[in-house]
């Protein structure tokens, strides 16, 4: 049924906005990663068109990448909170729920459990996408407890190491010493150890990365979603620089992300044995499907 | 309350303990253990509970939770967004002090904070009301032309921890299953056309359209609240109860203050005084027309309350054209009981009679 929810009756098509009809006819829904994944990201304006974020915002790029990586956008619901990120997330053609400050993981707990009541036979992917403030500060208790309870959904933290949307205040994820609004003498405390906290709280798959490699980033996002479906909470901690508050010229955004990859955002992937079994199985299935398709074409 | 939840065929209940509410969610847990509820868990705290209710509502299931005093205030940020998000959930409020110095004792000042969030609010006088109103609340919240939350409040300890006979429906009958399609906004389950990509995204642009969207939406919420009135008539026989409508002086109360008013009314009848009684069942929508009609010939109306600010008294004053006839109080709070003698004193004063108050 799921794809049908966006499909209008043929005779109404001519009255609908062109964008909507194009979404139905040519959009990424129901397509494979090869057809609609990050490799073909540019083709699918439905993923996110003309985002309203600052020019060169690395967060806007990563959000687009998240949408391009979804295993089943037609079965996915995203949840977010206040912050720059939600401006872009709410413009993508995947359902988005905007809650209160930092409560995305609590809302996702209710949503995921309710989906399992109503659709026990289906995977309805639930993903929270929020900034470092929403995930680790305001929403800290709700984030941690969703992990401790073993809720089966994916948490993605867009870590720009600052409250970008409210004008650049320090967050728990800002690095020690950073001079920011509300940290006029430099931040006193350390950057919070997010992935370590996630593992201690029971996340079965965690990744920290600076998303400089599109394919690699897409792969870990998908892994996180597949594992959450079956095993338990998963967490993706991504560096998504705020070029405004950290004064990174637009043309240097990628170089900065590369630089961070060597320091605070060194690639780190953790998985439990159970999570690994799911990843191995799903990726083997995907490979087999690819091979079969190739054979068909030949 | 838990018995009503059982008969309401609830899909999911989310629990968090706080005195004096704890027992309700404990008993709802027992009902879950017996298989009457499909999902139940203890959330991290009240804001998490109320947010999870908002999340689960998007998936299209029938929901219940309950809280008390400081817990209600802690969850209020999420609760005040429920109406705008069209969350058809039932919230039990087992009232308790919130002001410092903190105490676990009962009063109902927290209801004052709830009154302005768009939710329908019912105030139960006793155990029977608590059962009846809770069951009715599920029927009301899910009406397509309402579809906003319904809160059922009753006094902590005075009602929650006291025994009373309750006439219940047989426990092998229950409400029909929740229908997520019969809704003014479709569930966000990616199943139901037409597609709704965002549910209640923020309207934060500074332009006329955004002001207009917000304003139209808020008006619709308060209209929905008004539209609940016809169902309050259908299920509860109306938003007020009136006795001795020809009287000169009225005692008017809600919740367990209404029980004390009822008793004062009985004393007054025995003394042959011209005293009437009004019980207010619905706090939102507030029964403005009904109260006006009931008090149209009154010379005085005494409003006893279980809180310091007198929120009910203010509502009544605002509702009637001759607000000067309203006698504020007596009021008790912080766990104090409301002796009928205090009300009798006000009745006598209003009638120009002497009263020897002995407590
Ligand atoms: S303020 Fe920072 S995080 Fe927000 S959109 Fe601009 S660059 Fe991106």
């Amino acid at each position: 049924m799921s794809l049908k929810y966006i499909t209008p009756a043929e005779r109404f098509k001519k009255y609908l906005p062109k964008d909507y009809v194009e979404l139905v006819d040519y959009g990424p829904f129901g397509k494979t990663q090869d057809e609609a994944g990050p490799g073909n990201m540019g083709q699918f304006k439905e993923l996110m068109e003309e985002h309203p974020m600052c020019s060169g915002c690395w967060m806007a790029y990563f959000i687009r990448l998240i949408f391009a990586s979804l295993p089943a956008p037609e079965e996915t619901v995203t949840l977010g909170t206040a912050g720059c990120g939600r401006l872009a997330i709410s413009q993508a053609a995947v359902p988005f729920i905007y809650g209160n400050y930092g409560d995305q993981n609590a809302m996702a707990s209710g949503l995921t459990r309710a989906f399992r009541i109503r659709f026990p036979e289906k995977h309805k992917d639930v993903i929270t996408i929020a900034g470092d403030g929403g995930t680790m500060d305001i929403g800290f208790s709700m984030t941690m407890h969703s992990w401790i309870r073993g809720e089966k959904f994916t948490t993605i933290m867009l870590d720009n190491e600052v409250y970008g949307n409210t004008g650049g205040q320090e967050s728990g994820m800002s690095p020690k010493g950073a001079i920011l609004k509300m940290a006029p003498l430099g931040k006193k405390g350390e950057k919070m150890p997010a992935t370590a906290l996630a593992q201690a709280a029971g996340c079965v798959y965690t990744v920290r990365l600076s998303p400089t490699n599109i394919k690699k980033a897409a792969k870990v996002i998908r892994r996180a979603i597949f594992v959450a479906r079956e095993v338990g909470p998963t967490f993706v901690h991504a560096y998504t620089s705020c070029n405004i508050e950290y004064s990174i010229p637009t043309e240097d955004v990628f170089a900065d992300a590369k630089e961070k990859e060597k320091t605070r955002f060194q690639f780190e992937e953790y998985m439990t044995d159970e999570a690994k079994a799911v990843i191995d199985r799903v990726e083997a299935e995907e490979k087999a499907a690819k091979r079969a398709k190739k054979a068909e074409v030949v | 309350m838990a018995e009503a939840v059982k008969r309401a065929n609830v899909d999911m209940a989310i629990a968090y303990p706080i005195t004096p509410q704890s027992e309700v969610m404990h008993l709802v847990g027992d009902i879950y253990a017996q298989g009457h509820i499909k999902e139940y868990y203890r959330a991290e705290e009240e804001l998490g509970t109320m947010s999870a209710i908002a999340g689960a509502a998007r998936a299209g299931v029938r929901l219940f939770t309950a809280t008390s005093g400081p817990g209600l205030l802690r969850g209020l940020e999420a609760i005040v967004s429920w109406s705008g998000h069209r969350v058809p959930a039932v919230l039990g409020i087992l009232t308790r002090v919130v002001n410092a110095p903190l105490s676990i004792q009962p009063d109902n000042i927290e209801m004052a904070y709830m009154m302005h969030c768009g939710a329908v609010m019912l105030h139960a006088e006793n155990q029977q009301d608590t059962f009846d109103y809770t069951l009715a609340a599920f029927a009301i919240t899910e009406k397509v032309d309402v579809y906003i939350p319904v809160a059922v409040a009753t006094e902590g300890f005075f009602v929650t921890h006291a025994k009373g006979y309750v006439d219940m429906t047989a426990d092998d009958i229950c409400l029909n299953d929740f229908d997520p399609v019969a809704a003014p906004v479709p569930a966000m389950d990616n199943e139901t056309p037409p597609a709704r990509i965002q549910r209640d995204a923020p309207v934060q642009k500074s332009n006329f359209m955004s002001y207009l969207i917000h304003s139209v939406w808020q008006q619709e919420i308060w209209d929905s609240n008004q539209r609940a009135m016809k169902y309050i008539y259908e299920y509860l026989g109306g938003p007020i109860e009136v006795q001795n409508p020809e009287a000169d002086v009225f005692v008017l109360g809600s919740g367990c203050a209404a029980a004390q008013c009822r008793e004062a009314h009985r004393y007054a009848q025995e003394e042959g005084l011209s005293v009437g009684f009004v019980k207010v069942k619905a706090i939102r929508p507030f029964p403005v027309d009904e109260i006006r009609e009931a008090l149209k010939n009154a010379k005085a109306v005494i409003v006893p309350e279980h809180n310091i600010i007198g929120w009910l008294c203010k509502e009544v004053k605002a509702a009637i054209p001759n607000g000067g006839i309203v006698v504020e109080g007596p009021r008790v709070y912080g766990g104090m009981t409301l002796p009928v003698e205090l009300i009798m004193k006000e009745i006598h004063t209003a009638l120009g009679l002497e009263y020897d108050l002995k407590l």
Side-chain angles (χ1 to χ4, degrees):
Chain A
M1 169 74 184
S2 293
L3 271 179
K4 279 201 178 154
Y5 84 94
I6 55 161
T7 313
E10 204 52 42
R11 69 170 74 162
F12 285 133
K13 268 191 172 175
K14 64 174 181 245
Y15 303 110
L16 286 171
K18 203 165 176 284
D19 280 6
Y20 192 88
V21 178
E22 283 177 359
L23 169 72
V24 175
D25 289 345
Y26 311 113
F29 299 88
K31 297 200 165 67
T32 65
Q33 269 289 284
D34 277 348
E35 293 160 344
N40 291 324
M41 204 154 77
Q43 284 182 27
F44 295 98
K45 66 172 184 166
E46 292 81 8
L47 290 171
M48 192 207 300
E49 196 183 12
E50 290 180 9
H51 66 74
M53 299 163 83
C54 302
S55 155
C57 178
W58 194 238
M59 189 186 282
Y61 145 80
F62 186 65
I63 290 171
R64 185 185 282 259
L65 190 56
I66 296 170
F67 285 110
S69 311
L70 298 176
E74 66 276 15
E75 294 282 17
T76 302
V77 177
T78 59
L79 299 101
T81 188
C84 299
R86 66 105 181 133
L87 295 168
I89 303 165
S90 62
Q91 292 197 192
V94 172
F96 169 66
I97 298 172
Y98 181 82
N100 297 298
Y101 298 107
D103 76 349
Q104 65 285 340
N105 278 42
M107 292 223 302
S109 303
L111 182 73
T112 311
R113 287 174 186 245
F115 274 156
R116 280 166 202 266
I117 294 175
R118 285 196 58 215
F119 307 102
E121 311 298 331
K122 266 189 180 182
H123 291 304
K124 296 265 178 195
D125 295 328
V126 173
I127 303 167
T128 65
I129 309 171
D132 40 313
T135 308
M136 281 289 141
D137 293 351
I138 311 174
F140 184 70
S141 148
M142 291 178 268
T143 303
M144 291 298 287
H145 278 272
S146 69
W147 293 341
I148 290 166
R149 282 196 304 266
E151 304 287 354
K152 290 179 172 172
F153 63 81
T154 298
T155 302
I156 299 180
M157 176 159 70
L158 310 168
D159 184 7
N160 59 5
E161 307 193 300
V162 71
Y163 283 87
N165 198 239
T166 45
Q169 296 79 23
E170 70 154 285
S171 85
M173 297 303 297
S174 302
K176 188 173 182 179
I179 295 177
L180 294 158
K181 289 156 202 157
M182 299 189 192
L185 300 177
K187 189 191 171 198
K188 296 274 190 279
E190 295 288 347
K191 182 176 173 75
M192 292 170 76
T195 49
L197 286 167
Q199 286 158 28
C203 280
V204 293
Y205 177 80
T206 71
V207 179
R208 184 185 58 217
L209 82 164
S210 179
T212 53
N213 180 326
I214 288 189
K215 276 198 169 159
K216 192 171 170 186
K219 189 171 171 177
V220 300
I221 292 165
R222 291 170 67 76
R223 283 181 168 186
I225 295 169
F226 286 128
V227 171
R229 282 180 183 177
E230 295 182 44
V231 190
T234 61
F235 177 51
V236 176
H237 174 195
Y239 178 60
T240 56
S241 67
C242 174
N243 45 329
I244 296 300
E245 293 305 332
Y246 278 96
S247 304
I248 308 163
T250 299
E251 63 273 21
D252 294 340
V253 163
F254 184 74
D256 166 71
K258 271 274 189 210
E259 187 57 36
K260 293 292 182 312
E261 203 169 14
K262 292 187 203 131
T263 52
R264 294 196 291 281
F265 287 87
Q266 247 173 24
F267 185 78
E268 172 203 281
E269 190 182 35
Y270 157 87
M271 62 187 84
T272 62
D273 292 345
E274 233 183 328
K276 187 174 185 320
V278 171
I279 291 169
D280 290 347
R281 192 196 72 228
V282 171
E283 290 182 351
E285 281 167 9
E286 280 185 340
K287 260 191 199 145
K290 237 183 186 175
R291 269 201 303 272
K293 209 163 184 196
K294 242 188 193 165
E296 234 173 66
V297 174
V298 175
Chain B
M1 194 169 254
E3 279 295 328
V5 169
K6 179 178 169 186
R7 285 157 179 79
N9 186 16
V10 164
D11 291 306
M12 184 166 168
I14 306 176
Y16 196 74
I18 181 168
T19 303
Q21 169 271 152
S22 304
E23 208 154 349
V24 170
M25 292 316 292
H26 159 201
L27 293 172
V28 170
D30 288 349
I31 290 167
Y32 162 72
Q34 291 158 20
H36 297 289
I37 293 176
K38 299 188 189 88
E39 178 66 284
Y40 168 95
Y41 73 101
R42 194 266 317 149
E44 53 272 54
E45 33 77 16
E46 286 87 351
L47 179 56
T49 307
M50 306 310 169
S51 298
I53 290 278
R58 281 8 185 258
V61 295
R62 184 174 290 150
L63 294 154
F64 176 79
T65 190
T67 188
S68 289
L72 179 84
L73 264 52
R74 187 164 175 77
L76 209 56
E77 186 197 351
I79 293 170
V80 297
S81 71
W82 283 359
S83 306
H85 288 158
R86 312 306 295 250
V87 169
V90 173
L91 171 71
I93 302 175
L94 297 313
T95 67
R96 165 186 160 177
V97 161
V98 296
N99 297 347
L102 196 59
S103 147
I104 61 157
Q105 299 304 327
D107 75 22
N108 60 30
I109 196 166
E110 76 215 78
M111 291 177 67
Y113 298 91
M114 260 303 284
M115 281 161 64
H116 310 295
C117 70
V120 172
M121 245 174 112
L122 307 173
H123 198 181
E125 176 186 346
N126 49 32
Q127 292 80 3
Q128 181 71 55
D129 278 1
T130 308
F131 176 80
D132 294 345
Y133 292 10
T134 306
L135 204 46
F138 285 100
I140 295 169
T141 189
E142 289 167 23
K143 291 287 183 289
V144 179
D145 56 347
V146 178
Y147 227 74
I148 49 174
V150 178
V152 178
T154 196
E155 269 73 6
F157 299 110
F158 294 144
V159 177
T160 58
H161 287 59
K163 281 186 180 161
Y165 288 104
V166 179
D167 204 2
M168 289 190 273
T169 51
D171 68 359
D172 60 349
I173 56 172
C174 66
L175 294 187
N176 290 337
D177 285 348
F178 184 80
D179 179 0
V181 177
V185 290
M188 283 193 98
D189 54 10
N190 301 14
E191 297 278 333
T192 318
R196 181 120 185 257
I197 302 294
Q198 288 191 47
R199 182 139 163 188
D200 324 315
V203 188
Q204 286 177 351
K205 293 244 158 58
S206 292
N207 61 31
F208 185 71
M209 272 316 288
S210 68
Y211 311 148
L212 195 67
I213 291 166
H214 183 82
S215 132
V216 166
W217 197 256
Q218 284 302 306
Q219 288 173 46
E220 164 59 13
I221 294 307
W222 284 100
D223 275 356
S224 306
N225 192 294
Q226 282 300 325
R227 293 195 291 263
M229 188 58 101
K230 58 180 175 292
Y231 302 112
I232 291 169
Y233 272 99
E234 187 176 338
Y235 298 117
L236 304 179
I240 63 172
E241 172 194 337
V242 183
Q243 285 186 29
N244 204 13
E246 307 303 327
D248 292 330
V249 171
F250 280 83
V251 283
L252 178 151
S254 69
C256 76
Q260 300 304 87
C261 291
R262 191 186 292 282
E263 195 61 359
H265 174 247
R266 189 174 67 80
Y267 282 18
Q269 298 299 106
E270 281 174 6
E271 287 183 34
L273 304 174
S274 176
V275 173
F277 164 66
V278 178
K279 165 176 158 179
V280 182
K281 305 178 201 173
I283 308 300
R284 288 286 180 272
F286 196 67
V288 172
D289 296 341
E290 290 81 354
I291 287 177
R292 267 192 195 180
E293 176 61 26
L295 300 179
K296 67 175 187 289
N297 297 320
K299 296 191 176 60
V301 50
I302 298 155
V303 186
E305 292 190 57
H306 275 280
N307 65 76
I308 185 171
I309 57 163
W311 50 259
L312 181 61
C313 172
K314 290 186 175 69
E315 293 282 308
V316 175
K317 262 190 191 177
I320 60 175
N322 48 341
I325 67 164
V326 174
V327 177
E328 298 195 20
R331 287 178 200 155
V332 293
Y333 37 94
M336 305 284 266
T337 50
L338 174 53
V340 175
E341 288 75 8
L342 284 180
I343 306 173
M344 291 307 292
K345 167 95 171 79
E346 297 297 345
I347 290 174
H348 281 77
T349 305
L351 289 168
L353 303 170
E354 287 292 318
Y355 185 76
D356 185 15
L357 177 64
K358 282 199 191 77
L359 291 173

